[in-house]
Amino acid sequence: MALMLTLVLSLLELGSGQWQVLGPYKPVGALVGEDTVFSCFLSPATNAEAMEVRFFKERFSTVVHLYKDGEDQKYLQVPAYRGRTVLVKDFMADGHVSLVLKNITLSDAGLYGCWFNSQTYDREAIWELKVSALGSTPVISVMGYGDGGIQLLCQSSGWFPKPTVKWKGPKGQVLSSGYKTNSDRNNLFNVETSFTIQENTGNVSCAIQLVEHSQAVESSVWIRESFFKPSSWRLPSILLGILCFGLFVGVTGMIVVYLSMSRGKISAELDWRRKHGTAEWREARKHAVEVTLDPDTAHPQLYVSDLKSVIFKEAPQDVSYTEKRFKRKCVVASQGFQTGQHYWEVDVGHNESWCLGVCQDNVHRWEEDLDLSPIRGYWVLRRREEHDYFTLDPHRVTVVPGIHPTRVGVFLDCERRIISFFSVNDQSLIYTMDYPLEGTLRPYILPQTYKENELTPIFIPSLSQE
């Protein structure tokens, strides 16, 4: 009965030349850090240029944006929205306005309204803004051997609301979905999940997803088959335990067997890398080229010396800003490659954090927060802290070098469209990735930018002189 009365009143108002305000017909979804748009319009279309238009949150007095007397009245905004709103007035003569709300935060979630007032008549529309936060790219760590397999740990932070987490096999099949979460002081959820691989499964992925979003944030780790091959140490260790000890010592012997198996599996993996990687590295090194850094591309806090060395310093240099210079704290080479085969080495020393590889010449150099992924035109190997080596291919792939390399070889094969990273220290292959896109690629370096007093320069040695 009430609904019928409302409809009748609306028809009477429209019949008398009045209008209604129509806003978003369903909740508006937005991600933390992004912008969103609220659109409201009058039906039937009515010129709103001389009207007062107010966007508010929860209460009429909480002004998000106010348009009055033909101007934006920014001084009446509540402080939380100052400098974050833009009213689009291009179609105001037709009664259509849009409000851009920038840099969404969790606290922006709630009910919003738009109110139109023609001095003789006013109406409003109400809708809900739902805010979500996509967390960090999952970090997969190999914890070791236990429970009859390889133990993996996946961690990510900064999610809202609570996400779902799944371990997936190489064909996308779900392996496990158990996980735990905790919230930080900003009410964002941190996620942690573990999984034990009992047999060879190739690529294993950790996928984290919000229910409202179809796209998952995913990382993967490649578990080579050799990890699961029986070690040649197994039988001698068992026989030694049985022959030399009694029951108690026999139990101790079984522990030795278990440790030997683990050590044998790791040794088998490293032996495979050395055997195959050394041959590839030697072949790649035949294509050594001279690479020099371009100071005009370096961030002001990166100091380039002799076109070969780069180091980060807190005090920025006084440099000219051009289209070539990166906003991210990185530098690229003067040389660019489109065809042929090219190999160079980068001496990273004992710095705990670095990133190197290649990037397309036309990457967005003034955008600092983009992921260094193939989707953005970057094919790079990264090290963060002591044991965290990874690349984006395009999802996060954790790699485990045999040793911590102090010199890394980069091989760009433009004919086969591949990029390989080598540990020069033990002449082993670290990882190979494809690049399907055409265009010029330039050597890329992002040095460590913290612990300044402990930093050492990263430099590109001249291989022709060695």
Side-chain angles (χ1 to χ4, degrees):
M1 187 65 179
L3 179 59
M4 287 288 292
L5 180 60
T6 301
L7 290 174
V8 170
L9 290 174
S10 297
L11 290 173
L12 289 174
E13 290 169 347
L14 292 176
S16 61
Q18 303 298 346
W19 33 261
Q20 296 294 305
V21 178
L22 302 179
Y25 65 92
K26 63 179 181 180
V28 177
L31 290 173
V32 169
E34 294 187 350
D35 302 344
T36 192
V37 179
F38 303 139
S39 293
C40 294
F41 60 93
L42 303 181
S43 179
T46 305
N47 192 329
E49 292 175 326
M51 295 185 187
E52 178 180 345
V53 181
R54 175 184 299 226
F55 283 82
F56 59 93
K57 180 187 178 186
E58 306 291 352
R59 296 192 301 263
F60 187 78
S61 59
T62 307
V63 177
V64 176
H65 194 98
L66 178 63
Y67 172 86
K68 187 178 180 181
D69 299 330
E71 296 180 349
D72 294 319
Q73 308 294 328
K74 296 182 179 180
Y75 67 96
L76 291 176
Q77 286 179 290
V78 296
Y81 294 99
R82 288 176 186 167
R84 296 178 54 208
T85 61
V86 176
L87 187 65
V88 181
K89 315 179 188 74
D90 296 354
F91 303 100
M92 211 165 189
D94 299 321
H96 191 164
V97 298
S98 296
L99 183 73
V100 180
L101 180 56
K102 300 179 179 180
N103 193 21
I104 296 295
T105 66
L106 281 182
S107 60
D108 291 329
L111 295 178
Y112 285 78
C114 59
W115 176 76
F116 287 72
N117 177 30
S118 65
Q119 295 184 344
T120 60
Y121 189 75
D122 64 274
R123 279 291 182 270
E124 67 182 31
I126 304 293
W127 65 91
E128 183 182 8
L129 173 64
K130 292 185 175 181
V131 178
S132 305
L134 289 180
S136 60
T137 302
V139 175
I140 300 178
S141 305
V142 180
M143 304 304 293
Y145 293 89
D147 297 331
I150 298 174
Q151 295 178 337
L152 302 178
L153 178 68
C154 176
Q155 296 172 303
S156 180
S157 59
W159 293 86
F160 189 88
K162 186 181 296 185
T164 60
V165 184
K166 295 178 182 178
W167 288 96
K168 297 192 296 185
K171 297 181 180 180
Q173 72 274 25
V174 176
L175 303 176
S176 172
S177 58
Y179 62 98
K180 61 181 181 180
T181 62
N182 61 74
S183 58
D184 59 21
R185 61 183 181 181
N186 297 317
N187 295 319
L188 297 174
F189 289 97
N190 301 323
V191 181
E192 182 176 298
T193 177
S194 59
F195 180 68
T196 301
I197 303 176
Q198 302 291 344
E199 58 184 8
N200 177 41
T201 50
N203 279 322
V204 178
S205 301
C206 176
I208 307 178
Q209 181 178 357
L210 294 174
V211 176
E212 300 85 354
H213 294 264
S214 58
Q215 184 177 2
V217 180
E218 188 171 332
S219 294
S220 61
V221 61
W222 183 30
I223 304 299
R224 199 185 296 278
E225 183 179 0
S226 57
F227 273 116
F228 295 92
K229 290 181 179 179
S231 169
S232 58
W233 297 27
R234 182 176 185 179
L235 183 58
S237 299
I238 294 176
L239 292 176
L240 181 63
I242 294 175
L243 293 175
C244 299
F245 300 95
L247 179 61
F248 174 78
V249 180
V251 173
T252 306
M254 293 302 292
I255 296 175
V256 174
V257 171
Y258 177 80
L259 295 175
S260 300
M261 288 174 61
S262 300
R263 190 160 54 247
K265 291 170 184 174
I266 296 173
S267 298
E269 167 70 6
L270 297 181
D271 288 344
W272 188 95
R273 286 187 182 180
R274 292 191 184 100
K275 179 180 178 181
H276 296 271
T278 299
E280 291 186 39
W281 173 75
R282 288 175 178 171
E283 182 62 31
R285 217 166 188 259
K286 295 177 182 178
H287 304 280
V289 295
E290 188 72 12
V291 172
T292 55
L293 299 176
D294 184 355
D296 291 337
T297 67
H299 184 277
Q301 289 178 274
L302 296 188
Y303 287 69
V304 176
S305 302
D306 301 325
L307 305 183
K308 286 286 189 176
S309 174
V310 59
I311 191 171
F312 169 83
K313 294 184 179 180
E314 286 290 345
Q317 304 171 85
D318 184 12
V319 296
S320 60
Y321 284 87
T322 67
E323 293 181 355
K324 293 176 59 178
R325 196 173 301 282
F326 281 85
K327 186 176 180 181
R328 190 189 296 270
K329 298 177 179 64
C330 62
V331 62
V332 296
S334 300
Q335 294 75 20
F337 307 113
Q338 288 187 352
T339 60
Q341 296 172 305
H342 314 275
Y343 175 86
W344 63 95
E345 293 178 358
V346 182
D347 195 310
V348 296
H350 295 285
N351 291 291
E352 296 180 357
S353 174
W354 43 259
C355 174
L356 56 90
V358 297
C359 72
Q360 282 191 301
D361 192 39
N362 61 352
V363 293
H364 296 286
R365 304 191 179 200
W366 283 79
E367 297 185 18
E368 185 177 9
D369 299 327
L370 295 179
D371 288 334
L372 297 179
S373 73
I375 297 174
R376 307 291 189 183
Y378 294 86
W379 292 267
V380 294
L381 174 69
R382 301 197 70 167
R383 180 186 182 183
R384 284 182 177 172
E385 300 180 348
E386 187 175 358
H387 298 290
D388 187 15
Y389 293 84
F390 68 94
T391 185
L392 299 176
D393 195 13
H395 301 301
R396 194 182 202 277
V397 178
T398 300
V399 294
V400 185
I403 62 174
H404 292 305
T406 59
R407 184 181 287 196
V408 178
V410 183
F411 179 52
L412 171 62
D413 190 336
C414 299
E415 311 306 322
R416 292 191 295 161
R417 298 284 181 88
I418 62 171
I419 299 165
S420 298
F421 299 94
F422 296 91
S423 169
V424 180
N425 300 71
D426 60 356
Q427 303 178 7
S428 64
L429 175 65
I430 299 176
Y431 193 76
T432 295
M433 57 197 311
D434 299 323
Y435 76 96
L437 303 178
E438 296 182 354
T440 301
L441 297 180
R442 294 187 183 276
Y444 176 93
I445 295 178
L446 189 155
Q448 184 170 324
T449 56
Y450 62 94
K451 297 183 180 179
E452 184 181 0
N453 58 333
E454 300 178 18
L455 301 184
T456 58
I458 289 179
F459 70 93
I460 302 175
S462 297
L463 301 184
S464 59
Q465 301 175 4
E466 297 188 354

